[in-house]
Amino acid sequence: MAGILNTTPDSFFDGGRHDSLELAIAHGMRLWEEGADIVDVGGESTRPGAPPVPEDEERRRAIPVVEALHAAGVVVSIDTRHPETARAALDAGADAVNDIDGLRDPRMIELCAAYGAGACAVHMRGVPETMQTAPEYGDVLEEVSAFLERVALRWEDAGLPADALALDPGIGFGKSLEHNQTLLRATELLRLRFAPRPWYLGVSRKSFIARTPGVRAESDRLAGSLGVALAVADHGADILRVHDVAATLEALTLFRSIRASTP
Protein backbone atom coordinates (compact mmCIF):
# COMPACT_ATOMS: atom_id res chain seq x y z
CA MET A 1 0.00 0.00 0.00
CA ALA A 2 1.23 3.48 -0.90
CA GLY A 3 0.40 6.31 1.49
CA ILE A 4 -0.21 9.69 -0.14
CA LEU A 5 1.83 12.64 1.11
CA ASN A 6 1.04 15.89 -0.68
CA THR A 7 3.34 18.77 0.23
CA THR A 8 1.20 21.15 -1.83
CA PRO A 9 -1.16 23.97 -0.88
CA ASP A 10 -3.77 23.01 -3.50
CA SER A 11 -4.17 19.24 -3.74
CA PHE A 12 -7.81 18.23 -4.13
CA PHE A 13 -8.23 16.50 -0.74
CA ASP A 14 -5.46 17.49 1.63
CA GLY A 15 -3.96 20.60 0.06
CA GLY A 16 -2.27 22.79 2.63
CA ARG A 17 -2.43 20.27 5.47
CA HIS A 18 1.20 19.23 5.10
CA ASP A 19 2.77 22.18 3.31
CA SER A 20 5.49 22.84 5.87
CA LEU A 21 8.52 20.60 6.22
CA GLU A 22 7.68 19.65 9.80
CA LEU A 23 4.04 18.80 9.04
CA ALA A 24 4.97 16.82 5.93
CA ILE A 25 7.62 14.74 7.68
CA ALA A 26 5.29 14.06 10.62
CA HIS A 27 2.51 12.93 8.30
CA GLY A 28 4.87 10.75 6.28
CA MET A 29 6.04 9.04 9.46
CA ARG A 30 2.41 8.57 10.54
CA LEU A 31 1.54 6.88 7.24
CA TRP A 32 4.56 4.59 7.59
CA GLU A 33 3.74 3.70 11.19
CA GLU A 34 0.12 2.98 10.22
CA GLY A 35 1.36 0.33 7.82
CA ALA A 36 2.13 1.90 4.45
CA ASP A 37 4.67 -0.08 2.42
CA ILE A 38 5.77 3.07 0.65
CA VAL A 39 5.12 6.78 1.13
CA ASP A 40 4.45 8.64 -2.12
CA VAL A 41 5.66 12.25 -1.86
CA GLY A 42 4.42 14.88 -4.29
CA GLY A 43 5.21 18.56 -4.66
CA GLU A 44 2.83 19.41 -7.51
CA SER A 45 -0.95 19.11 -7.42
CA THR A 46 -2.24 17.14 -10.39
CA ARG A 47 -5.94 17.45 -9.56
CA PRO A 48 -8.23 18.28 -12.50
CA GLY A 49 -7.80 21.94 -13.42
CA ALA A 50 -4.53 22.39 -11.54
CA PRO A 51 -2.03 24.75 -13.20
CA PRO A 52 1.57 23.57 -13.62
CA VAL A 53 4.02 24.30 -10.81
CA PRO A 54 7.54 25.60 -11.51
CA GLU A 55 9.93 22.69 -11.12
CA ASP A 56 12.17 24.50 -8.66
CA GLU A 57 9.13 25.06 -6.44
CA GLU A 58 8.12 21.41 -6.76
CA ARG A 59 11.62 20.39 -5.64
CA ARG A 60 11.64 22.94 -2.80
CA ARG A 61 8.47 21.36 -1.41
CA ALA A 62 9.24 17.69 -1.92
CA ILE A 63 12.97 16.95 -1.80
CA PRO A 64 13.67 17.83 1.87
CA VAL A 65 10.74 15.58 2.83
CA VAL A 66 12.08 12.70 0.76
CA GLU A 67 15.51 13.15 2.32
CA ALA A 68 14.16 13.20 5.89
CA LEU A 69 11.87 10.20 5.43
CA HIS A 70 14.62 8.18 3.75
CA ALA A 71 16.95 8.99 6.65
CA ALA A 72 14.27 7.65 9.01
CA GLY A 73 14.11 4.33 7.15
CA VAL A 74 10.91 4.99 5.19
CA VAL A 75 10.54 3.57 1.68
CA VAL A 76 9.72 6.56 -0.52
CA SER A 77 8.48 7.19 -4.03
CA ILE A 78 8.48 10.59 -5.70
CA ASP A 79 5.25 11.61 -7.41
CA THR A 80 6.49 13.70 -10.34
CA ARG A 81 6.34 14.02 -14.11
CA HIS A 82 9.58 16.01 -14.28
CA PRO A 83 12.94 14.25 -14.77
CA GLU A 84 14.99 16.78 -12.85
CA THR A 85 12.70 16.48 -9.83
CA ALA A 86 12.92 12.70 -10.14
CA ARG A 87 16.72 12.91 -10.24
CA ALA A 88 16.85 15.13 -7.16
CA ALA A 89 14.52 12.76 -5.28
CA LEU A 90 16.56 9.70 -6.24
CA ASP A 91 19.70 11.50 -5.07
CA ALA A 92 17.86 12.19 -1.79
CA GLY A 93 17.09 8.48 -1.33
CA ALA A 94 13.80 7.84 -3.12
CA ASP A 95 13.30 4.23 -4.14
CA ALA A 96 10.86 4.73 -7.02
CA VAL A 97 9.28 7.26 -9.36
CA ASN A 98 5.50 7.60 -9.70
CA ASP A 99 4.91 9.39 -13.01
CA ILE A 100 1.40 10.52 -14.00
CA ASP A 101 2.79 11.22 -17.47
CA GLY A 102 3.44 7.51 -17.97
CA LEU A 103 7.25 7.71 -18.41
CA ARG A 104 6.72 9.42 -21.78
CA ASP A 105 9.93 11.37 -21.28
CA PRO A 106 12.71 8.83 -22.03
CA ARG A 107 14.88 10.39 -19.35
CA MET A 108 12.59 8.89 -16.70
CA ILE A 109 13.42 5.33 -17.69
CA GLU A 110 17.10 6.27 -18.06
CA LEU A 111 17.08 7.59 -14.50
CA CYS A 112 15.44 4.45 -13.14
CA ALA A 113 18.07 2.35 -14.88
CA ALA A 114 20.92 4.49 -13.57
CA TYR A 115 19.66 4.46 -9.96
CA GLY A 116 18.21 0.96 -9.88
CA ALA A 117 14.83 2.48 -9.04
CA GLY A 118 11.36 1.13 -9.57
CA ALA A 119 8.59 3.11 -11.23
CA CYS A 120 4.86 3.44 -11.63
CA ALA A 121 3.60 4.51 -15.07
CA VAL A 122 0.18 6.17 -15.00
CA HIS A 123 -2.10 6.65 -17.99
CA MET A 124 -3.29 10.23 -18.37
CA ARG A 125 -5.19 11.77 -21.29
CA GLY A 126 -3.99 15.36 -21.72
CA VAL A 127 -2.59 17.45 -18.86
CA PRO A 128 -4.06 18.12 -15.40
CA GLU A 129 -5.19 21.62 -16.34
CA THR A 130 -7.52 20.37 -19.09
CA MET A 131 -7.72 16.58 -18.79
CA GLN A 132 -11.32 16.51 -17.54
CA THR A 133 -12.66 18.68 -20.36
CA ALA A 134 -14.95 16.20 -22.15
CA PRO A 135 -12.57 13.19 -22.28
CA GLU A 136 -13.40 10.83 -25.14
CA TYR A 137 -12.30 7.31 -26.07
CA GLY A 138 -13.35 4.86 -28.73
CA ASP A 139 -12.63 1.96 -26.36
CA VAL A 140 -11.18 3.13 -23.07
CA LEU A 141 -10.06 -0.35 -22.03
CA GLU A 142 -8.11 -1.01 -25.21
CA GLU A 143 -6.67 2.49 -25.51
CA VAL A 144 -5.39 2.54 -21.93
CA SER A 145 -4.06 -1.02 -22.29
CA ALA A 146 -2.24 -0.18 -25.52
CA PHE A 147 -0.55 2.79 -23.87
CA LEU A 148 0.57 0.74 -20.89
CA GLU A 149 1.85 -2.03 -23.17
CA ARG A 150 4.05 0.47 -25.00
CA VAL A 151 5.45 1.73 -21.70
CA ALA A 152 6.16 -1.83 -20.55
CA LEU A 153 8.02 -2.63 -23.77
CA ARG A 154 10.17 0.50 -23.47
CA TRP A 155 10.96 -0.42 -19.86
CA GLU A 156 12.03 -3.93 -20.79
CA ASP A 157 13.98 -2.69 -23.83
CA ALA A 158 16.06 -0.71 -21.32
CA GLY A 159 16.95 -4.00 -19.62
CA LEU A 160 14.89 -3.34 -16.51
CA PRO A 161 13.00 -6.11 -14.68
CA ALA A 162 9.30 -6.36 -15.48
CA ASP A 163 8.24 -6.60 -11.85
CA ALA A 164 9.95 -3.28 -11.03
CA LEU A 165 7.39 -1.41 -13.15
CA ALA A 166 3.92 -0.90 -11.71
CA LEU A 167 1.14 0.06 -14.11
CA ASP A 168 -1.75 2.39 -13.25
CA PRO A 169 -4.74 3.02 -15.56
CA GLY A 170 -5.07 6.55 -14.20
CA ILE A 171 -8.48 6.68 -12.57
CA GLY A 172 -9.70 10.28 -12.83
CA PHE A 173 -6.91 11.38 -15.18
CA GLY A 174 -8.75 12.38 -18.33
CA LYS A 175 -11.68 10.01 -17.80
CA SER A 176 -15.41 10.24 -17.20
CA LEU A 177 -17.29 8.37 -14.49
CA GLU A 178 -18.12 5.66 -17.04
CA HIS A 179 -14.49 5.36 -18.15
CA ASN A 180 -13.36 5.02 -14.54
CA GLN A 181 -15.94 2.35 -13.79
CA THR A 182 -15.06 0.38 -16.93
CA LEU A 183 -11.40 0.30 -15.93
CA LEU A 184 -12.11 -0.60 -12.31
CA ARG A 185 -14.48 -3.41 -13.30
CA ALA A 186 -11.69 -4.81 -15.49
CA THR A 187 -9.16 -4.98 -12.63
CA GLU A 188 -8.83 -8.77 -12.68
CA LEU A 189 -8.52 -8.90 -16.47
CA LEU A 190 -5.94 -6.13 -16.60
CA ARG A 191 -3.87 -7.52 -13.74
CA LEU A 192 -3.63 -10.87 -15.51
CA ARG A 193 -2.92 -9.21 -18.85
CA PHE A 194 0.03 -7.26 -17.48
CA ALA A 195 1.50 -9.76 -14.99
CA PRO A 196 4.13 -9.91 -13.54
CA ARG A 197 4.01 -6.12 -13.40
CA PRO A 198 2.19 -4.92 -10.26
CA TRP A 199 -1.26 -3.42 -10.91
CA TYR A 200 -1.46 -0.06 -9.15
CA LEU A 201 -4.66 1.88 -8.43
CA GLY A 202 -5.21 5.34 -7.02
CA VAL A 203 -8.88 5.88 -6.20
CA SER A 204 -8.71 7.45 -2.75
CA ARG A 205 -11.18 10.32 -2.13
CA LYS A 206 -11.51 11.03 -5.87
CA SER A 207 -14.47 12.97 -7.22
CA PHE A 208 -15.92 10.09 -9.26
CA ILE A 209 -16.99 8.56 -5.92
CA ALA A 210 -19.39 11.43 -5.21
CA ARG A 211 -20.64 11.34 -8.81
CA THR A 212 -21.61 7.67 -8.54
CA PRO A 213 -25.41 7.31 -8.43
CA GLY A 214 -26.61 6.74 -4.88
CA VAL A 215 -23.69 8.54 -3.20
CA ARG A 216 -24.41 11.80 -1.38
CA ALA A 217 -22.89 14.77 -3.21
CA GLU A 218 -21.60 16.13 0.12
CA SER A 219 -19.85 12.85 0.99
CA ASP A 220 -16.28 13.11 2.25
CA ARG A 221 -15.67 10.04 0.03
CA LEU A 222 -13.93 7.97 2.70
CA ALA A 223 -16.55 5.22 2.78
CA GLY A 224 -16.61 5.14 -1.01
CA SER A 225 -12.82 4.95 -1.11
CA LEU A 226 -12.89 1.97 1.22
CA GLY A 227 -15.61 0.30 -0.85
CA VAL A 228 -13.60 0.62 -4.04
CA ALA A 229 -10.43 -0.53 -2.27
CA LEU A 230 -12.14 -3.71 -1.08
CA ALA A 231 -13.58 -4.41 -4.52
CA VAL A 232 -10.36 -3.98 -6.48
CA ALA A 233 -8.25 -5.77 -3.87
CA ASP A 234 -10.61 -8.71 -4.16
CA HIS A 235 -9.99 -8.68 -7.90
CA GLY A 236 -6.23 -8.73 -7.54
CA ALA A 237 -4.98 -5.14 -7.41
CA ASP A 238 -1.43 -5.27 -6.07
CA ILE A 239 -0.89 -1.72 -4.82
CA LEU A 240 -3.46 0.77 -3.54
CA ARG A 241 -2.50 4.44 -3.29
CA VAL A 242 -4.51 5.88 -0.39
CA HIS A 243 -4.83 8.86 1.92
CA ASP A 244 -6.23 6.78 4.79
CA VAL A 245 -3.75 3.97 5.41
CA ALA A 246 -5.00 2.79 8.82
CA ALA A 247 -8.67 2.76 7.79
CA THR A 248 -7.95 0.97 4.52
CA LEU A 249 -5.83 -1.69 6.19
CA GLU A 250 -8.49 -2.26 8.84
CA ALA A 251 -11.18 -2.64 6.18
CA LEU A 252 -9.02 -5.05 4.18
CA THR A 253 -8.15 -7.07 7.27
CA LEU A 254 -11.81 -7.60 8.18
CA PHE A 255 -12.82 -8.27 4.59
CA ARG A 256 -10.11 -10.88 4.13
CA SER A 257 -10.77 -12.55 7.47
CA ILE A 258 -14.38 -13.11 6.47
CA ARG A 259 -13.59 -13.92 2.85
CA ALA A 260 -11.10 -16.59 3.93
CA SER A 261 -13.72 -18.40 6.00
CA THR A 262 -16.53 -18.16 3.45
CA PRO A 263 -17.40 -21.56 1.92
Side-chain angles (χ1 to χ4, degrees):
M1 184 173 298
I4 299 168
L5 176 50
N6 293 316
T7 64
T8 57
D10 57 344
S11 290
F12 77 92
F13 171 63
D14 55 357
R17 296 187 191 183
H18 318 120
D19 63 349
S20 75
L21 181 59
E22 295 76 15
L23 288 172
I25 293 169
H27 188 62
M29 292 304 303
R30 186 177 309 114
L31 293 170
W32 182 250
E33 290 161 2
E34 287 177 350
D37 301 293
I38 189 166
V39 174
D40 190 41
V41 179
E44 178 187 38
S45 174
T46 52
R47 60 177 171 77
V53 171
E55 291 183 42
D56 58 349
E57 174 62 14
E58 179 190 31
R59 291 192 288 273
R60 184 196 68 78
R61 296 171 180 175
I63 302 308
V65 180
V66 172
E67 190 170 29
L69 292 177
H70 170 71
V74 176
V75 179
V76 179
S77 61
I78 180 68
D79 178 6
T80 186
R81 52 186 169 147
H82 303 121
E84 290 309 313
T85 299
R87 182 190 300 277
L90 292 167
D91 281 337
D95 301 275
V97 176
N98 180 18
D99 181 6
I100 64 161
D101 207 30
L103 305 177
R104 285 186 176 93
D105 190 318
R107 291 175 292 173
M108 286 296 213
I109 291 179
E110 291 168 6
L111 282 169
C112 290
Y115 285 82
C120 176
V122 183
H123 176 275
M124 176 175 63
R125 174 66 59 84
V127 296
E129 206 165 4
T130 59
M131 64 186 176
Q132 288 303 105
T133 305
E136 293 184 7
Y137 297 83
D139 183 327
V140 68
L141 199 57
E142 284 308 311
E143 290 177 45
V144 170
S145 295
F147 173 82
L148 295 176
E149 283 174 349
R150 291 193 295 272
V151 176
L153 286 173
R154 289 174 48 229
W155 180 267
E156 289 168 35
D157 285 346
L160 296 168
D163 61 0
L165 175 67
L167 298 174
D168 182 337
I171 302 302
F173 287 102
K175 298 171 182 76
S176 68
L177 172 61
E178 293 74 20
H179 298 144
N180 292 326
Q181 290 181 331
T182 295
L183 291 164
L184 290 170
R185 288 170 183 147
T187 296
E188 186 171 10
L189 171 69
L190 291 166
R191 181 181 180 270
L192 291 172
R193 179 171 178 169
F194 287 103
R197 302 165 196 89
W199 193 248
Y200 191 113
L201 284 168
V203 298
S204 181
R205 305 274 189 161
K206 289 190 174 179
S207 62
F208 82 92
I209 294 169
R211 295 199 308 273
T212 300
V215 176
R216 294 175 298 110
E218 63 274 19
S219 167
D220 67 2
R221 309 174 196 164
L222 173 57
S225 298
L226 297 177
V228 179
L230 295 180
V232 297
D234 194 42
H235 286 86
D238 297 290
I239 304 171
L240 299 174
R241 182 178 183 269
V242 305
H243 296 92
D244 307 281
V245 170
T248 307
L249 282 174
E250 182 176 319
L252 286 168
T253 297
L254 270 293
F255 178 83
R256 287 168 174 161
S257 71
I258 295 167
R259 194 85 159 91
S261 60
T262 302

